[in-house]
Amino acid sequence: MIYLILMLMSLFTPKGYAEISPVYPMRNHQSDLTRQFEYRLGEDHLIYLRSLDRENAKTFAGGDLKADPKALEWHLFDEVGYPYKKSFFKDKCSLLNEGEYISEIAVASEQLIAVSNTNKVFMYKPTVLERPITWSDELGSPFSNELYLPAKRRSWSFSCSVRDKDIRRVDFIDPSERVIYYSDMNGVKFDFGYTATIYVLLEDGQRIVYWDTGLPPSFSRGFLSPLNGTTQGQSISAAGSTIFISALDSTNKLRFFTRMYDYEINGACPGLTYTYQVKPNLDSNSETVALGFGERKLPLEGWREHAVTNIPEGHLSSQVSIHLTGQGNAARELRIQGTDVANRRGYYFKRIDDLNWQFQPDERLDVMTQAPFPYNPQAQEMGKNYSGQVIKAKTPEFQIELHSFHPFLTAEEPCILSVNYKGETANLNLHCVDGWTLVSHTKYHEDLIGVQEGEPKYLQATLVLTPEQLNTSQNSLIHKLIQENFLPYHEQVNSIQLVADNGNVYLSTTDGELKLYFSRSLSSSELDDSFYLKRARAVVQLEAPQNKEEVLKLIHKNKEILNELTEIQDQYRRDELRFLMEDLCVVLARPMASVIFNFEKDDPTYKKAVEDLKKPLKNQLRTEWNNLKKDNPTFQMSKDMLEARILELEELYDGYPND
């Protein structure tokens, strides 16, 4: 009888998984959950689903929830368990190529991300109005394309924040997982629009890149790990635009941080209005402010550390998981996999604003490695210092430097404009945010953005002076210079434009009255760690071959890398030409769009977005033109290195006697 029951259960259980009740408590890329469902990726690389509502069991069918009493058992997601599209011959034709299969999944508010063994991203997005829906294998806006997760990554996660609106469906989402608003630093509740975001912790552990459905399809936007990139992340989990990270510091201490961050709230989103002014008397209990209205206070909170002092040392892993518990910034539960003092397996948990952690035993959880990625003491320091020169200013005789700058800085980590005038110095805070552009390289964009061998990063910035620097009664020379040259831009949101990489930064104000240029020389370790040289040296420096067969294999390997790097460089050139044409078309079409959106009275977002994009698009047009004209020294060095090694190996091969 027991055997019969087990056999029947196996019919509804994904291959490789036993029936699990209650749900698996830690989110990962083989298992994920929402309030309504538990999702699993089976060993057969198919996606399975089971309902968690015993009173009203449902499943998904073409994007809609469908009542099904059998849905409490494991069954294939949307009947097939893989990404599909409609075709003339078949209703559900697989989007996977030959030899391609699903290797990871992630779920947020019943929207499903599937990643294949080629790192390609597929999305099941029931928020669209049409029914029945199919999966998408081309993503992004305004121009969609294939999206690939960075191949060299430590961790990634998926999050969604969404507000009810006529243009989208949310009826399939449990009310507790419709994250409809956030509170800014003035305590005002602002509606979300729709922000479904993938966050990726890169190989160095110091950078987190992200993409959301309203952005061009690449991972060219990002921010640094806690403490300005000095910590090295181990694992991330995200929910409701909140990222939970475990990270090692320079003393090898495992620490835990959270941060609320996405493209709608970070100060960069065209069409939204931001402010750096503190307004403490606003009613935090008022109704939410609709998208496109009101002024959102910047900077955001930034990284917040969560102390683990009440947990015995050595009982925590780096595996983290974050879960929605309702509305508001504080409606998140944090979980860390570990063991208690009795060495029972389980996880520690707390609400995000609580101080103390509690332990929940769960013997299904493995004993995880505390830090799977050891701290790298040779890692590059993220913040760089640049020397500068004044191109244009009302008082151009001052000296200036840029300190602690990185192209992935956000409003929460200001860099410093260090101004020196006749022996007096002042440090001015410059808060940078992303600059929206159309640029989206399909692969390697995360490594070739904001660096000389790739392309510069476009940023916007706001200058925020201190009360002392604003004090007009000061009679010092440096204060007079600040009043004349920098005061006009104080708290003028995104009135400063930057085009920046790791060697050069061009800064100009929107009115064109202040222009600065900064530069620095790359260190030898930075060159060694650069994209092209690092890949070339990895094969050039392989151990010397011991026989003719090994020489031949090494020749093929060097040629393979040379061809790969050449194709990447050539593809970037082709992309730059395409972006130049796209930018030109959008710049020409923008005035017409501005006229059209003048008639939209209920939602000012679109009209303002068109105006906000005027300066970024023109800047990007110039940047793309300059990119097409510039040389790439590190690519040429890599090419020369590989060609010399191939020639050396071919001569060695010719020296062996014929068989």
Side-chain angles (χ1 to χ4, degrees):
M1 184 65 180
I2 293 176
Y3 175 80
L4 179 61
I5 293 173
L6 291 174
M7 184 177 69
L8 290 172
M9 286 175 59
S10 70
L11 295 176
F12 302 100
T13 303
K15 185 179 178 183
Y17 291 101
E19 176 70 13
I20 293 178
S21 184
V23 297
Y24 198 76
M26 300 291 291
R27 299 174 60 202
N28 58 61
H29 298 307
Q30 307 303 309
S31 170
D32 211 337
L33 70 152
T34 63
R35 287 294 183 92
Q36 300 182 99
F37 297 101
E38 185 174 13
Y39 298 76
R40 285 295 169 96
L41 182 63
E43 289 184 357
D44 53 6
H45 302 292
L46 296 178
I47 303 166
Y48 291 82
L49 180 75
R50 69 164 180 165
S51 173
L52 300 177
D53 187 347
R54 296 191 178 278
E55 302 299 323
N56 189 21
K58 294 180 180 180
T59 188
F60 265 109
D64 286 326
L65 294 180
K66 173 185 173 183
D68 183 355
K70 295 182 179 180
L72 293 172
E73 307 291 346
W74 287 110
H75 57 285
L76 288 170
F77 178 78
D78 204 359
E79 298 181 344
V80 293
Y82 53 76
Y84 66 84
K85 63 180 178 181
K86 291 181 181 178
S87 72
F88 182 78
F89 301 102
K90 191 176 180 182
D91 281 343
K92 295 183 177 180
C93 179
S94 176
L95 287 168
L96 299 167
N97 294 321
E98 185 177 352
E100 190 177 18
Y101 56 84
I102 299 304
S103 59
E104 295 180 291
I105 61 169
V107 181
S109 303
E110 314 309 347
Q111 291 153 96
L112 181 57
I113 295 291
V115 178
S116 77
N117 57 316
T118 67
N119 295 309
K120 186 176 179 179
V121 177
F122 303 85
M123 187 173 186
Y124 189 85
K125 184 182 172 186
T127 53
V128 297
L129 295 178
E130 63 265 21
R131 289 294 188 273
I133 69 166
T134 60
W135 288 71
S136 299
D137 63 342
E138 291 193 349
L139 302 166
S141 179
F143 306 114
S144 61
N145 203 343
E146 294 179 342
L147 179 71
Y148 289 83
L149 285 191
K152 296 187 176 181
R153 60 183 183 267
R154 292 188 173 188
S155 180
W156 68 279
S157 193
F158 177 51
S159 156
C160 181
S161 300
V162 59
R163 174 74 182 186
D164 305 26
K165 201 172 183 180
D166 292 341
I167 61 172
R168 70 179 68 92
R169 293 272 299 270
V170 296
D171 54 296
F172 60 92
I173 306 174
D174 185 89
S176 68
E177 294 183 327
R178 299 175 196 169
V179 182
I180 62 175
Y181 74 88
Y182 83 102
S183 297
D184 75 352
M185 297 305 287
N186 279 329
V188 181
K189 298 174 183 175
F190 285 94
D191 282 353
F192 277 108
Y194 172 71
T195 309
T197 308
I198 298 175
Y199 304 90
V200 183
L201 178 64
L202 294 180
E203 181 185 29
D204 57 20
Q206 298 170 280
R207 295 170 295 152
I208 299 170
V209 292
Y210 63 92
W211 166 84
D212 79 36
T213 52
L215 294 172
S218 77
F219 288 92
S220 61
R221 294 165 170 86
F223 50 96
L224 301 180
S225 64
L227 308 181
N228 294 320
T230 59
T231 58
Q232 296 175 13
Q234 301 290 307
S235 172
I236 61 171
S237 182
S241 301
T242 304
I243 304 98
F244 184 24
I245 187 172
S246 60
L248 285 180
D249 65 16
S250 58
T251 68
N252 274 308
K253 180 181 179 182
L254 188 60
R255 300 165 71 173
F256 301 88
F257 302 81
T258 57
R259 177 178 190 172
M260 200 169 191
Y261 190 89
D262 69 29
Y263 209 76
E264 278 189 15
I265 68 177
N266 69 0
C269 187
L272 302 183
T273 303
Y274 303 92
T275 181
Y276 282 79
Q277 296 179 2
V278 177
K279 300 177 181 179
N281 297 322
L282 294 175
D283 182 7
S284 61
N285 295 316
S286 62
E287 293 293 321
T288 62
V289 179
L291 185 72
F293 293 87
E295 293 182 324
R296 299 160 178 244
K297 171 69 172 67
L298 293 175
L300 301 170
E301 181 183 11
W303 287 111
R304 183 206 303 184
E305 184 165 10
H306 297 270
V308 290
T309 52
N310 69 315
I311 301 175
E313 188 175 351
H315 286 272
L316 287 176
S317 77
S318 60
Q319 194 65 33
V320 296
S321 187
I322 185 170
H323 302 256
L324 295 173
T325 60
Q327 297 301 323
N329 300 14
R332 313 285 187 273
E333 181 179 293
L334 309 181
R335 298 178 184 177
I336 309 173
Q337 198 161 323
T339 56
D340 66 0
V341 290
N343 285 323
R344 293 182 300 172
R345 300 175 184 180
Y347 62 92
Y348 290 88
F349 68 96
K350 76 177 185 77
R351 289 178 64 91
I352 198 168
D353 285 345
D354 290 346
L355 296 178
N356 293 320
W357 298 84
Q358 302 177 60
F359 184 75
Q360 175 62 48
D362 195 321
E363 289 302 316
R364 295 170 299 171
L365 299 180
D366 294 330
V367 177
M368 304 295 293
T369 304
Q370 184 176 14
F373 304 98
Y375 189 87
N376 177 16
Q378 278 77 48
Q380 295 289 334
E381 184 177 343
M382 293 288 103
K384 308 294 186 185
N385 297 331
Y386 297 67
S387 58
Q389 64 183 87
V390 180
I391 306 300
K392 182 180 180 181
K394 292 180 180 178
T395 311
E397 295 83 10
F398 61 90
Q399 291 79 47
I400 194 159
E401 294 179 345
L402 180 63
H403 293 167
S404 303
F405 176 80
H406 188 278
F408 277 0
L409 285 183
T410 65
E412 292 69 51
E413 306 99 7
C415 56
I416 304 297
L417 288 175
S418 183
V419 182
N420 184 281
Y421 184 57
K422 295 186 177 181
E424 298 181 37
T425 301
N427 292 325
L428 314 182
N429 287 331
L430 190 66
H431 297 258
C432 298
V433 299
D434 180 75
W436 193 94
T437 70
L438 291 167
V439 177
S440 59
H441 297 286
T442 303
K443 294 183 179 180
Y444 307 112
H445 205 173
E446 64 280 356
D447 287 321
L448 289 170
I449 186 73
V451 292
Q452 287 187 330
E453 60 182 338
E455 62 189 38
K457 175 78 177 161
Y458 173 64
L459 299 165
Q460 305 169 94
T462 304
L463 184 69
V464 179
L465 302 177
T466 65
E468 181 185 3
Q469 291 163 352
L470 289 169
N471 188 350
T472 56
S473 65
Q474 296 277 355
N475 292 320
S476 67
L477 293 174
I478 193 71
H479 275 83
K480 290 180 180 178
L481 182 135
I482 291 172
Q483 299 292 316
E484 187 171 354
N485 293 274
F486 296 97
L487 180 60
Y489 311 108
H490 169 64
E491 292 187 348
Q492 298 301 303
V493 177
N494 296 342
S495 62
I496 297 173
Q497 320 295 312
L498 294 90
V499 178
D501 60 34
N502 55 351
N504 302 282
V505 177
Y506 298 88
L507 181 152
S508 62
T509 54
T510 303
D511 62 8
E513 293 300 313
L514 180 65
K515 295 182 179 180
L516 308 172
Y517 167 66
F518 303 92
S519 63
R520 60 180 293 273
S521 298
L522 273 62
S523 66
S524 58
S525 62
E526 286 179 276
L527 287 172
D528 289 342
D529 203 40
S530 63
F531 179 84
Y532 289 103
L533 284 175
K534 186 177 182 179
R535 282 159 175 75
R537 284 202 170 101
V539 64
V540 167
Q541 295 176 350
L542 290 174
E543 290 185 8
Q546 301 300 311
N547 54 55
K548 189 175 183 179
E549 183 180 347
E550 289 184 3
V551 173
L552 188 60
K553 287 182 179 178
L554 205 50
I555 290 172
H556 290 323
K557 185 65 176 176
N558 277 266
K559 286 184 176 180
E560 179 184 325
I561 296 299
L562 176 59
N563 291 336
E564 178 187 337
L565 297 184
T566 302
E567 174 55 29
I568 292 171
Q569 174 69 4
D570 290 346
Q571 183 61 53
Y572 260 66
R573 292 288 187 180
R574 293 191 292 269
D575 287 348
E576 297 293 352
L577 183 59
R578 174 169 59 87
F579 299 146
L580 181 66
M581 295 298 102
E582 289 177 352
D583 277 329
L584 183 59
C585 291
V586 174
V587 166
L588 294 175
R590 194 196 63 80
M592 179 61 70
S594 182
V595 171
I596 293 171
F597 288 129
N598 269 329
F599 297 98
E600 179 61 65
K601 303 299 183 184
D602 296 331
D603 188 349
T605 310
Y606 299 107
K607 178 183 175 182
K608 186 175 185 302
V610 171
E611 292 304 311
D612 289 347
L613 289 173
K614 181 178 180 179
K615 189 71 174 181
L617 287 171
K618 286 186 176 180
N619 275 347
Q620 191 60 36
L621 200 59
R622 286 192 293 268
T623 300
E624 297 302 337
W625 177 248
N626 291 331
N627 286 345
L628 283 170
K629 296 187 296 180
K630 77 173 186 179
D631 295 325
N632 189 337
T634 55
F635 167 71
Q636 191 60 49
M637 291 167 62
S638 303
K639 183 181 178 183
D640 293 345
M641 183 189 306
L642 287 163
E643 288 177 341
R645 180 57 170 159
I646 291 168
L647 181 60
E648 177 187 345
L649 290 168
E650 287 176 339
E651 290 175 351
L652 181 61
Y653 182 82
D654 291 340
Y656 280 95
N658 294 326
D659 295 334

